[in-house]
Amino acid sequence: LPSSPQVMFGLLAAITASWAGLLLRARRTAGSVQYIHWLMLGLVGFKTLTLLSQACMYLVVQRYGSPHGWNWVYYIATFFRGMLFFSVVVLIGTGWSYMKPFIDENTRKVLVVVIPLQVFAEIAIVITGEESPSIRDWATWVNILHFVDILCCCAILFPIVWSIKHLREASETDGKAARALEKLRLFRQFYILVVVFIYFTRIVVFLLRANLADSLYAWVADAAYELAYLAFYVWVGVKFAPNTDNPYTKLRQEEIEMRA
């Protein structure tokens, strides 16, 4: 197996198993595990499947000269991973399931329009990358798809900005200003993380691939890309873990206690 997908598969598989175990243990606490946590489990699960299918595809191509269907497994896993990744980012940014049980109209528009377009662009980039650069207009299509991907990634920042604005207003008018400020601080951290993640994976990695494509260090770009995703998953998992001390779940727990 190629070393990079193999190592990342092992790491993601361990993270998936750890997150699943955490959710099963946390279910004993009322209001601790929300729907968003299960979506996060599906996300890391499909990311793990993506890495496994990619490693198997490389192995089969190396031995038989053809992927024998593993490329389609990789495309399908990439599709669902992309849908879940950007859906989770948008839903976390709006506070869905752990702060409010509904999705507002603006967020729904982002989910319905922007995310499918972004996933289509991402998969098209993967397929185009496997084609020969000698194909007519190959470089033009790569640049266009990359530009669409960046625009869609920037569009998912708007729901996070709307949530930050709402929390800022709540911290000034709500009686629970301290809790609103605590959530506001974490939302700002999440916003900064998403901005840094988009900049690194869409611009820095793109430049690395362009400059290292014909060198012995071409693997560095792919390794940097996967490590960025790994760091993102770990940070979000730590910040949004289902526990009683998490400020994102306190609101839901208090609602359950009041109803009881």
Side-chain angles (χ1 to χ4, degrees), residues 5-251:
Q6 181 184 17
V7 172
M8 294 305 301
F9 165 73
L11 292 175
L12 263 298
I15 290 177
T16 302
S18 300
W19 186 253
L22 177 63
L23 295 186
L24 292 176
R25 292 191 300 269
R27 290 183 65 183
R28 293 174 293 183
T29 302
S32 179
V33 179
Q34 306 299 327
Y35 292 120
I36 191 66
H37 294 125
W38 297 111
L39 286 179
M40 294 165 69
L41 175 61
L43 168 61
V44 292
F46 273 105
K47 177 61 177 179
T48 303
L49 179 60
T50 299
L51 292 168
L52 175 62
S53 59
Q54 183 182 24
C56 292
M57 180 177 65
Y58 289 162
L59 177 61
V60 173
V61 169
Q62 183 179 3
R63 289 188 176 181
Y64 304 105
S66 174
H68 290 287
W70 278 105
N71 56 330
W72 288 105
V73 177
Y74 175 64
Y75 298 152
I76 293 172
T78 300
F79 171 81
F80 284 106
R81 190 270 301 168
M83 289 289 290
L84 283 172
F85 178 81
F86 289 95
S87 298
V88 165
V89 170
V90 171
L91 293 175
I92 288 178
T94 58
W96 175 77
S97 86
Y98 54 85
M99 285 177 59
K100 58 184 181 182
F102 60 90
I103 301 175
D104 57 69
E105 185 63 25
N106 291 330
T107 302
R108 190 177 292 111
K109 291 178 180 177
V110 173
L111 290 172
V112 172
V113 178
V114 177
I115 291 181
L117 179 61
Q118 195 283 330
V119 173
F120 169 78
E122 186 175 5
I123 294 179
I125 289 173
V126 172
I127 297 176
T128 305
E130 296 179 355
E131 300 293 336
S132 173
S134 61
I135 296 178
R136 183 180 179 181
D137 298 330
W138 179 87
T140 302
W141 279 109
V142 169
N143 291 331
I144 291 175
L145 292 171
H146 186 68
F147 181 71
V148 172
D149 182 48
I150 293 177
L151 287 181
C152 293
C153 288
C154 293
I156 68 173
L157 295 174
F158 286 103
I160 307 176
V161 174
W162 297 331
S163 296
I164 291 176
K165 179 181 178 181
H166 174 74
L167 287 173
R168 186 184 296 112
E169 295 173 351
S171 66
E172 297 173 354
T173 59
D174 193 6
K176 300 178 181 180
R179 185 162 302 164
L181 286 173
E182 187 177 11
K183 290 190 175 87
L184 177 60
R185 183 174 63 252
L186 289 176
F187 264 95
R188 284 173 174 170
Q189 293 176 1
F190 181 65
Y191 174 79
I192 294 173
L193 174 71
V194 174
V195 170
V196 172
F197 174 82
I198 292 174
Y199 177 79
F200 184 83
T201 57
R202 266 57 187 182
I203 297 179
V204 174
V205 172
F206 179 79
L207 294 176
L208 285 175
R209 285 173 174 168
N211 288 279
L212 302 177
D214 299 325
S215 69
L216 297 176
Y217 302 98
W219 59 270
V220 172
D222 292 332
Y225 180 81
E226 298 298 344
L227 288 174
Y229 269 93
L230 178 64
F232 186 90
Y233 293 149
V234 171
W235 190 95
V236 174
V238 171
K239 290 294 182 180
F240 295 89
N243 58 69
T244 56
D245 296 328
N246 193 327
Y248 290 95
T249 59
K250 286 181 181 178
L251 180 61

